[in-house]
Amino acid sequence: MKLTLEGLKNRQDWEKAGIELPSYDVEAVVEKTRKAPVWVHLGVGNIFRIFIGGIADQLIEEGLMDKGITCAELFDYDVVDKIYAPYDNLVLAVTLHGDGSTDRKVLGSLTEAVKGQSYDAVQWARMKEIFREPGLQMVSLTITEKGYALTNADGTYFDFVKADLENGPEKATSAMAVVAAMLLERYHNGKAPLALVSMDNCSQNGSKFRAAVLEVAQEWKKRGFVEEGFLSYVSDESQVSFPWTMIDKITPRPSEKVADELEASGVEGMQPVITSKSTYIAPFVNAEGPQYLVVEDSFPNGRPAMEKAGVYMTSRDTVNKSEKMKVTVCLNPIHTALGPYGCVLGYELFADEMKDPDMLELARQVGYVEGMEVVPDPGILSPKAFLDELINERFPNAYLGDTTQRLCVDVSQGIGIRFGETVKSYVAKYGDAKKLNAIPIAIAGWLRYLLGVDDEGNRYELAPDPMVSEMQERMAGVVVGDPASLKDQLKGILSNENIFATDLYKAGIGEKIEDIFREEIAGPGAVRKTVKKYLAK
């Protein structure tokens, strides 16, 4: 069996293999969508394919939508060539349950895959054609937190952003510049309304998205690339809205075990690939069952009936509280606390680390003790019930195969949100954050992880992160086994508000983090010993 439109025609074999197929005419949906797209998604990786693609698939199945999603990739173009094109944009969604069972379904809702390459005339022309469509209602994004960043930690523009600002819309390469260029195309062709919907894990993501796009537009205006009317169009949220969202679904790298099981069932070519940009991806996506999507209901050109597929459509304030609940207290802080320690303590799988009493206690203190004291309550979701589900069901799900290294990807881009917001809340409530204990342990653990030496003295590979080189330069001279080698290397890091969203020394915990870190570099076994010591305080 081949995961292609032609391969799906032999439905009996798929059903015999326990794989559900679309009940709708996929080719008809593809054709209709190509002619008049209504929903574009930028950043076409795993969580998008199984979660957002699954929402669209459900709406089409239930007759609530007759078009699918137009997909556009802005960074890793191998994904289009290796995963979308050979499989006719189909996705094999595999839900991994805690008891080891799986649900398997082919999704046909992803109708086209385009590369957002300004240097490819054909692809760029198609992008423009899509964005000129007056019936286009929404553009959603999953490009990770770093996709919205324009500047380095010192506030200067990244080189590629600087090039985009100097070269103008027709040579845009970065995500925010491509979005601004496509909005310009829409502006020049009728100024139709549009919702731009970030679905990435960062608090107030819509606000960050809007600020980045506006900054690109303003810089282009200074250089004569765009007119004042374009700035007015992008600035008017009754025309171009940037709804805030909260998204949650643990989607680990594709599992070779799942690939083998699918191939044993008769599905050909299921093995994962690693692209030239180090993306781990496969024709299938494996993920947990629980999922949450909360969206601010601000769509000036209309929208799909997403609430019919389990999406919470609500107010900006409720989204903000839901996002803060997840990103600053319940889920992401625990991932960021335990991911680095997992690598240092020799754990490959996160579920195995969750069996470690010390790590479980760290998770408990970060979430229940320190986070719950300042957690926002969104009303539509219970923070405690959400955290209970994570600690007791979701995190221990060994069948997800989620790795500690995955949890270390791009930590520098999110640590200020995941811990900095709670630190600031404690400062606002108590005058300083000295009551915090677990969060300083977690931050010290991330810094210890960056040394690339585990608790037994063995080297390991660091996960991708745009600030790894800069951080290691700042920490130069620190030697595991020599606590005296730590002098003032951490001061420029812990005081950096671009990293932590606050100066941790002014918050009263900078010195404590230094003390923990110093003890953790004492030698073999020092990390475990230090964590135990401070957790007991």
Side-chain angles (χ1 to χ4, degrees), residues 17-270:
I19 300 171
E20 185 180 350
L21 298 184
S23 62
Y24 51 88
D25 185 335
V26 176
E27 292 181 77
V29 170
V30 168
E31 184 62 24
K32 195 165 189 176
T33 308
R34 282 179 180 269
K35 289 179 178 177
V38 294
W39 183 350
V40 172
H41 189 91
L42 310 179
V44 296
N46 290 324
I47 192 169
F48 157 67
R49 294 161 70 211
I50 195 167
F51 191 177
I52 312 307
I55 289 169
D57 181 77
Q58 182 179 339
L59 293 176
I60 298 168
E61 290 267 13
E62 296 178 4
L64 298 169
M65 198 162 75
D66 60 359
K67 296 175 183 175
I69 302 177
T70 303
C71 311
E73 178 56 34
L74 304 182
F75 175 71
D76 194 340
Y77 306 117
D78 282 354
V79 170
V80 174
D81 294 332
K82 295 182 177 181
I83 296 301
Y84 278 76
Y87 301 94
D88 293 335
N89 306 321
L90 297 168
V91 182
L92 210 172
V94 181
T95 301
L96 305 167
H97 300 295
D99 62 1
S101 64
T102 62
D103 294 329
R104 303 185 290 185
K105 183 181 183 183
V106 173
L107 309 180
S109 56
L110 310 185
T111 59
E112 180 180 7
V114 185
K115 301 175 187 178
Q117 295 176 316
S118 58
Y119 53 85
D120 185 321
V122 173
Q123 296 290 312
W124 197 239
R126 178 55 182 154
M127 286 281 288
K128 288 183 173 182
E129 184 180 21
I130 291 165
F131 275 79
R132 284 196 297 266
E133 172 56 46
L136 183 63
Q137 296 178 328
M138 66 180 288
V139 179
S140 50
L141 291 84
T142 48
I143 58 173
T144 74
E145 291 164 289
K146 64 183 177 183
Y148 304 88
L150 303 179
T151 61
N152 290 291
D154 62 5
T156 59
Y157 286 121
F158 292 120
D159 288 342
F160 62 88
V161 172
K162 188 175 181 181
D164 280 342
L165 300 181
E166 298 294 339
N167 295 333
E170 285 305 311
K171 295 182 179 178
T173 60
S174 63
M176 295 299 97
V178 170
V179 170
M182 292 302 106
L183 285 174
L184 182 63
E185 187 69 18
R186 196 166 180 81
Y187 169 77
H188 284 315
N189 288 273
K191 305 178 186 177
L194 188 64
L196 295 169
V197 190
S198 168
M199 294 181 177
D200 281 297
N201 279 326
C202 45
S203 295
Q204 303 183 7
N205 48 16
S207 179
K208 289 179 172 59
F209 187 12
R210 183 174 186 266
V213 171
L214 279 173
E215 185 168 350
V216 171
Q218 288 161 353
E219 292 297 320
W220 281 346
K221 170 68 168 53
K222 291 178 185 177
R223 293 161 175 77
F225 291 116
V226 303
E227 62 190 32
E228 186 65 35
F230 175 60
L231 292 184
S232 299
Y233 170 67
V234 177
S235 301
D236 183 357
E237 289 210 69
S238 69
Q239 285 289 101
V240 180
S241 68
F242 293 82
W244 296 13
T245 69
M246 184 277 271
I247 188 170
D248 177 29
K249 186 178 182 73
I250 297 174
T251 309
R253 291 175 177 175
S255 163
E256 292 182 5
K257 179 175 181 290
V258 172
D260 292 342
E261 290 172 350
L262 290 171
E263 290 184 343
S265 297
V267 189
E268 300 176 27
M270 289 290 104

Side-chain angles (χ1 to χ4, degrees), residues 215-445:
E215 185 168 350
V216 171
Q218 288 161 353
E219 292 297 320
W220 281 346
K221 170 68 168 53
K222 291 178 185 177
R223 293 161 175 77
F225 291 116
V226 303
E227 62 190 32
E228 186 65 35
F230 175 60
L231 292 184
S232 299
Y233 170 67
V234 177
S235 301
D236 183 357
E237 289 210 69
S238 69
Q239 285 289 101
V240 180
S241 68
F242 293 82
W244 296 13
T245 69
M246 184 277 271
I247 188 170
D248 177 29
K249 186 178 182 73
I250 297 174
T251 309
R253 291 175 177 175
S255 163
E256 292 182 5
K257 179 175 181 290
V258 172
D260 292 342
E261 290 172 350
L262 290 171
E263 290 184 343
S265 297
V267 189
E268 300 176 27
M270 289 290 104
Q271 293 301 320
V273 300
I274 304 174
T275 69
S276 59
K277 296 284 182 68
S278 299
T279 300
Y280 289 72
I281 198 161
F284 65 92
V285 182
N286 46 233
E288 64 173 349
Q291 58 187 35
Y292 299 89
L293 180 58
V294 184
V295 180
E296 177 189 358
D297 200 354
S298 177
F299 290 78
N301 206 26
R303 62 169 176 79
M306 293 183 286
E307 70 277 7
K308 302 291 187 181
V311 179
Y312 295 90
M313 304 302 300
T314 185
S315 68
R316 175 171 291 190
D317 182 60
T318 300
V319 173
N320 191 36
K321 289 177 179 176
S322 301
E323 179 65 26
K324 283 189 173 181
M325 176 198 76
K326 171 192 172 246
V327 172
T328 71
V329 174
C330 293
L331 192 155
N332 299 82
I334 294 173
H335 272 170
T336 301
L338 268 63
Y341 273 118
C343 293
V344 174
L345 295 175
Y347 288 107
E348 180 181 355
L349 294 181
F350 180 49
D352 289 338
E353 186 184 5
M354 284 296 294
K355 298 173 187 174
D356 184 316
D358 296 326
M359 294 296 101
L360 186 58
E361 178 61 17
L362 178 58
R364 191 189 71 80
Q365 289 193 23
V366 167
Y368 289 110
V369 178
E370 296 180 353
M372 282 294 160
E373 184 166 333
V374 293
V375 67
D377 187 346
I380 59 172
L381 299 167
S382 160
K384 184 178 183 303
F386 189 85
L387 184 54
D388 286 345
E389 182 185 51
L390 286 165
I391 296 293
N392 299 322
E393 299 176 35
R394 298 172 64 188
F395 289 163
N397 184 348
Y399 298 97
L400 282 175
D402 205 6
T403 65
T404 56
Q405 190 180 62
R406 184 190 77 86
L407 303 182
C408 296
V409 173
D410 299 336
V411 166
S412 70
Q413 305 301 290
I415 198 165
I417 296 163
R418 293 163 188 180
F419 297 135
E421 293 302 313
T422 295
V423 171
K424 289 193 290 184
S425 294
Y426 271 74
V427 171
K429 189 172 182 178
Y430 298 109
D432 60 47
K434 291 180 180 179
K435 285 186 66 175
L436 293 175
N437 185 53
I439 286 176
I441 295 171
I443 294 171

Side-chain angles (χ1 to χ4, degrees), residues 477-491:
V478 175
V479 178
V480 175
D482 181 9
S485 67
L486 177 64
K487 302 185 187 307
D488 60 357
Q489 293 98 323
L490 301 187
K491 289 192 165 40

Side-chain angles (χ1 to χ4, degrees), residues 491 494 504-506 508-516 518:
K491 289 192 165 40
L494 298 177
L504 297 180
Y505 292 99
K506 291 180 180 177
I509 59 172
E511 290 83 0
K512 183 173 187 175
I513 295 168
E514 285 193 33
D515 290 343
I516 297 169
R518 183 178 290 105

